Amino acid sequence: LGVVTAIERGGRPVPLAAAHHAGLVRLWFDGRRAWIRTAIAASRRRQRLLARAQEGALYHRLVRLWLAVRRPAISFTVRLPVPGNGGTVARQMSPDAFDANMEWWGRPLETWALNLHLNGASQPVAWLRLARNETGTWRVEQTYVGHRYRGGDQDAALRRQLDQMLAQKP
C-alpha cells in the first residue's frame, strides 16, 4: 500500500484537490442529486404499495379472473443443475422425459426444479425446487411465484404436476 502524491496524464500533472465548480454548475449538480434521491425514494414507496396490494384478497381475485378470461397455455419444464457450476447452469427437459430416480452425471439425482410457463414464455412465472432428504424421498426446498401472478393458483398447478410426475415414476 502507499500514498498517492501526484498524478500525471499525458505528461501533465492532474490536481489532487476536488474540483470547485462555478455557482450555476454546482446548483445544477445539487438539483440533479436531489432529483435522483427523490426518484429513488418514490420508486421504493411505489414498490412497497404494489407489494402490499398484491398480498390482498382483491388482487388475488382479479388475477384469477384475468387468468380465467385469458386462459393462458400452461406448460411445465424440469431443470437439472449441472454439477460444479453452483446451480447457475442447468439442462432443461420436458416432464415426460424426466425420471426422479434417474442418474445425473453418473450420480443419483439430488436436486431439480419444476418450472411453470405461461403461453410458451422462456422465463417461468413459478417454480418449485426439490431436494432429496435423508430417507430418499423428495421434499420441496423452495417455491416461487412471480409477483404479478400471486393468487392465481400457479403454486397449486405446480403441486398437481409434481404429484402426477412422482406418482407415474416408481
Side-chain angles (χ1 to χ4, degrees):
L1 299 178
V3 176
V4 176
T5 58
I7 299 174
E8 286 187 11
R9 287 196 185 127
R12 294 180 12 203
V14 176
L16 296 175
H20 295 286
H21 298 288
L24 287 177
V25 173
R26 189 171 355 144
L27 186 63
W28 165 256
F29 285 143
D30 291 346
R32 183 72 177 147
R33 183 174 33 249
W35 170 256
I36 290 170
R37 287 181 180 157
T38 303
I40 290 171
S43 175
R44 288 181 180 155
R45 278 193 301 277
R46 192 171 47 252
Q47 288 172 354
R48 281 193 303 270
L49 286 172
L50 182 60
R52 192 174 301 135
Q54 289 174 334
E55 293 170 0
L58 175 62
Y59 182 84
H60 291 192
R61 282 191 214 110
L62 289 173
V63 167
R64 280 194 291 275
L65 177 65
W66 178 73
L67 289 171
V69 169
R70 293 284 314 251
R71 295 185 188 179
I74 295 175
S75 61
F76 297 95
T77 58
V78 173
R79 288 181 54 90
L80 301 172
V82 174
N85 288 310
T88 58
V89 178
R91 177 177 176 218
Q92 192 163 301
M93 64 174 53
S94 76
D96 298 333
F98 175 72
D99 180 6
N101 298 317
M102 66 190 256
E103 285 195 357
W104 182 238
W105 289 76
R107 293 184 235 157
L109 190 60
E110 293 296 324
T111 183
W112 55 283
L114 178 62
N115 299 335
L116 182 143
H117 303 268
L118 295 180
N119 292 328
S122 61
Q123 291 295 318
V125 299
W127 49 262
L128 296 170
R129 186 166 48 215
L130 295 105
R132 194 181 300 272
N133 62 16
E134 299 80 30
T135 62
T137 59
W138 293 105
R139 67 176 162 76
V140 175
E141 190 175 66
Q142 191 175 15
T143 64
Y144 174 79
V145 177
H147 294 290
R148 186 175 180 186
Y149 300 98
R150 293 205 176 142
D153 295 331
Q154 277 72 26
D155 50 349
L158 276 168
R159 298 278 181 163
R160 284 191 300 273
Q161 178 68 21
L162 175 64
D163 291 342
Q164 178 183 355
M165 289 171 60
L166 294 177
Q168 287 179 355
K169 310 289 181 182

